[in-house]
Amino acid sequence: MKFIVLVGPPGAGKGTQAKLLEKSLGLPQVSTGDLFRYNLKNDTDLGKLARSYMDRGELVPDGVTVAMVKERLAQPDATNGAILDGFPRTQVQADALEQLLEEIGGRICAVPNIVVDFEELVQRLLKRAQIEGRTDDSEDTIRTRMRVYEEQTKPLLDYYEKRGLVVNVNGQQDIEAVQQDLRRVVEQAC
Ligand code: AMP
């Protein structure tokens, strides 16, 4: 059971790349952002709870996030593992993931980090706001999401680096070139 943890700041292209990787690896993309948006759209209790955090660009509390991921990873399409996109985002989530992997007999084989510089990220997110109309892509929210990333998620890179799992991938290339680099990383490590 193999897990790939795709990391990188908001706007780095994690979602796009995870979807492409899903096809070539035969492992499902598990995106906590997409799962929350699905709940939002369907107006579930979880969606109602998540909305206030997402609209502000803050993280949804760890407890509900972890519970949602556990449920998702128990689905039959994830029996061989998954590509985790946007999870874990805090040390508490990373610890919960370790515990879960121990329970289900899975392991993280690679943590590709998609690297894009700050100015480029802001430009991409503003453009996405126009195209997709994501309510969490307003300028204020983008700033908050960047801060949340720096404070809560970026430290995870150290944690995974110590375990020798992080490989940087240049995210400032065209989509196909980034995908090729990612595939190479995963083929070597997994
Ligand atoms: P994303 O599509 O990954 O950028 O996620 C959009 C929003 O969903 C984030 O800004 C958070 O509010 C929420 N979210 C996604 N993943 C997580 C997570 N692992 N932990 C907490 N909140 C999350």
Side-chain angles (χ1 to χ4, degrees):
M1 228 186 173
K2 293 177 198 163
F3 289 84
I4 292 143
V5 176
L6 208 51
V7 294
K14 292 190 298 295
T16 304
Q17 294 298 335
K19 282 191 184 78
L20 291 169
L21 216 50
E22 180 174 50
K23 288 191 199 122
S24 59
L25 294 180
L27 293 175
Q29 170 205 23
V30 171
S31 155
T32 39
D34 285 353
L35 289 170
F36 283 130
R37 277 185 288 278
Y38 175 84
N39 278 278
L40 232 75
K41 216 173 82 192
N42 290 285
D43 212 23
T44 65
D45 286 345
L46 177 60
K48 285 184 190 117
L49 176 95
R51 183 184 302 275
S52 55
Y53 297 97
M54 292 175 78
D55 282 350
R56 280 184 281 128
E58 302 280 355
L59 295 182
V60 179
D62 289 326
V64 284
T65 304
V66 168
M68 178 177 77
V69 170
K70 268 191 184 172
E71 201 182 310
R72 176 64 187 87
L73 293 182
Q75 301 299 309
D77 64 335
T79 44
N80 292 327
I83 303 158
L84 300 179
D85 160 13
F87 180 89
R89 260 177 155 99
T90 66
Q91 187 62 50
V92 170
Q93 293 179 14
D95 293 341
L97 176 63
E98 279 317 299
Q99 206 188 327
L100 176 65
L101 293 184
E102 214 165 281
E103 282 164 25
I104 62 180
R107 70 178 179 97
I108 297 169
C109 55
V111 180
N113 175 34
I114 306 181
V115 182
V116 175
D117 64 43
F118 183 79
E119 275 314 310
E120 168 80 16
L121 290 172
V122 175
Q123 290 313 314
R124 287 188 189 183
L125 290 170
L126 288 170
K127 206 163 144 196
R128 185 165 80 187
Q130 281 181 337
I131 297 169
E132 293 178 16
R134 264 179 65 158
T135 49
D136 61 349
D137 275 341
S138 74
E139 220 173 311
D140 264 2
T141 318
I142 288 172
R143 214 165 288 133
T144 308
R145 286 165 65 208
M146 290 300 198
R147 181 179 51 74
V148 167
Y149 170 76
E150 290 289 329
E151 291 175 2
Q152 304 197 52
T153 307
K154 213 174 165 190
L156 289 183
L157 277 176
D158 271 351
Y159 167 74
Y160 286 124
E161 225 150 52
K162 286 196 184 102
R163 293 168 51 184
L165 291 168
V166 177
V167 183
N168 288 338
V169 169
N170 175 9
Q172 276 173 286
Q173 319 175 69
D174 60 49
I175 290 174
E176 208 28 66
V178 178
Q179 181 63 202
Q180 272 175 22
D181 286 356
L182 274 173
R183 274 188 205 152
R184 214 168 298 132
V185 168
V186 171
E187 267 161 27
Q188 274 188 5
C190 296

